[in-house]
Amino acid sequence: MTNCVCFNLRRVTRIITQQYDSELRRQGIRSTQTPILQALCARESWTMVELSEWLGMDRTTLVRNLRPLERDGLLKSSGGGHGVQVEVSITEKGRKQVEKFTPAWRAAQDRIVKTLGEEKWADLLDKLRTAAENIKN
């Protein structure tokens, strides 16, 4: 098990997620919600398919993560039904939430990057992105 890629990546991810959650908890948001809201801030709207692909989440997981954000008025969805694409966009309340949690997110991000070292983090990030693309294809 100590050599298992899946085990080791998931273990490290859980530890890092705990660090982000520790910072973000005071802002009333979870680390799993931040990339969704940040992505929604980057574009006017996304289709569910686009957002799912960008985040690397299957659609069922994405829907489960979107529900509380929509319930809390941080995003809105439109469309749906037979053959119609669902569009998702951030609300003004959602944008304010992103502004509110960004300093806490930045604090966690900076602390982890500092621990890893900026050059090592940049190299690791590049290798992870390359591996993900190669595995996906």
Side-chain angles (χ1 to χ4, degrees), residues 19-85:
Q19 294 298 304
Y20 279 89
D21 280 339
S22 175
E23 287 288 338
L24 294 165
R25 185 175 299 119
R26 292 175 284 240
Q27 306 305 318
I29 194 115
R30 298 182 53 119
S31 61
T32 54
Q33 296 170 323
T34 61
I36 296 169
L37 291 170
Q38 289 167 330
L40 291 172
C41 274
R43 288 180 38 184
E44 179 94 12
S45 70
W46 296 75
T47 65
M48 289 286 280
V49 171
E50 292 169 333
L51 190 56
S52 173
E53 287 175 6
W54 173 251
L55 294 170
M57 265 184 214
D58 65 67
R59 207 157 164 232
T60 304
T61 302
L62 179 59
V63 168
R64 190 172 52 250
N65 282 279
L66 291 176
R67 280 188 188 129
L69 297 171
E70 188 167 20
R71 178 198 65 220
D72 294 344
L74 303 176
L75 63 86
K76 61 183 175 185
S77 61
S78 59
H82 187 69
V84 178
Q85 290 187 356

Side-chain angles (χ1 to χ4, degrees), residues 90-107:
I90 195 162
T91 63
E92 188 57 35
K93 183 178 179 182
R95 288 187 190 284
K96 287 179 182 172
Q97 181 68 8
V98 172
E99 288 176 21
K100 181 180 168 187
F101 76 65
T102 295
W105 177 88
R106 175 59 55 202

